[in-house]
Amino acid sequence: QVQLVESGGGLVQAGGSLRLSCVISGTSSSITTTGWYRQAPGKQRELVATITSAGSTNFADSVKGRFTISRDNAKNTVYLQMNNLKPEDTAEYYCIADLVQLVVGVARYWGQGTQVTVSS
């Protein structure tokens, strides 16, 4: 059973930093793209950052220059370093992982989310 477990969320003041981690377990499938989405109250879920198995990254315009994403393939873990946080970064952050599977091809899995709250 594939599991994605996020950690590292919390309450921080504007201008502060947090580091989110996501451990992907329960699979021997190759992980292609992994990364983070977020959803603020009353808003649609949006992409924050992704990273491919080759190390290519993609960021939402709103976080470019403030957030970085990395992955440790040996540990099946993806990280999101968030610096210079703003109140508008407040949201539930979700980890995603795209796994290559024999029957369905590439399947996307989601974590349960971790809350990030940035106070002004």
Side-chain angles (χ1 to χ4, degrees):
Q1 181 179 357
V2 180
Q3 284 191 314
L4 282 68
V5 179
E6 302 104 331
S7 60
L11 173 64
V12 64
Q13 288 188 331
S17 298
L18 284 173
R19 188 193 194 207
L20 305 184
S21 300
C22 173
V23 179
I24 304 154
S25 64
T27 180
S28 59
S29 299
S30 297
I31 302 170
T32 57
T33 297
T34 184
W36 299 88
Y37 281 66
R38 68 186 180 187
Q39 187 168 20
K43 295 188 176 181
Q44 288 190 326
R45 194 170 293 189
E46 62 176 1
L47 180 146
V48 178
T50 58
I51 182 168
T52 69
S53 56
S56 297
T57 58
N58 182 41
F59 293 91
D61 288 342
S62 59
V63 306
K64 283 180 180 176
R66 300 188 296 122
F67 291 12
T68 58
I69 188 170
S70 61
R71 62 191 282 175
D72 184 335
N73 293 325
K75 296 181 179 179
N76 275 3
T77 302
V78 59
Y79 305 96
L80 185 69
Q81 178 66 44
M82 306 185 292
N83 298 327
N84 191 21
L85 282 160
K86 303 177 180 180
E88 52 263 43
D89 295 317
T90 295
E92 189 82 7
Y93 283 69
Y94 297 90
C95 176
I96 63 102
D98 292 342
L99 305 183
V100 178
Q101 298 182 318
L102 285 176
V103 177
V104 300
V106 177
R108 172 159 288 184
Y109 289 83
W110 293 80
Q112 292 298 307
T114 185
Q115 177 67 35
V116 172
T117 303
V118 184
S119 63
S120 56

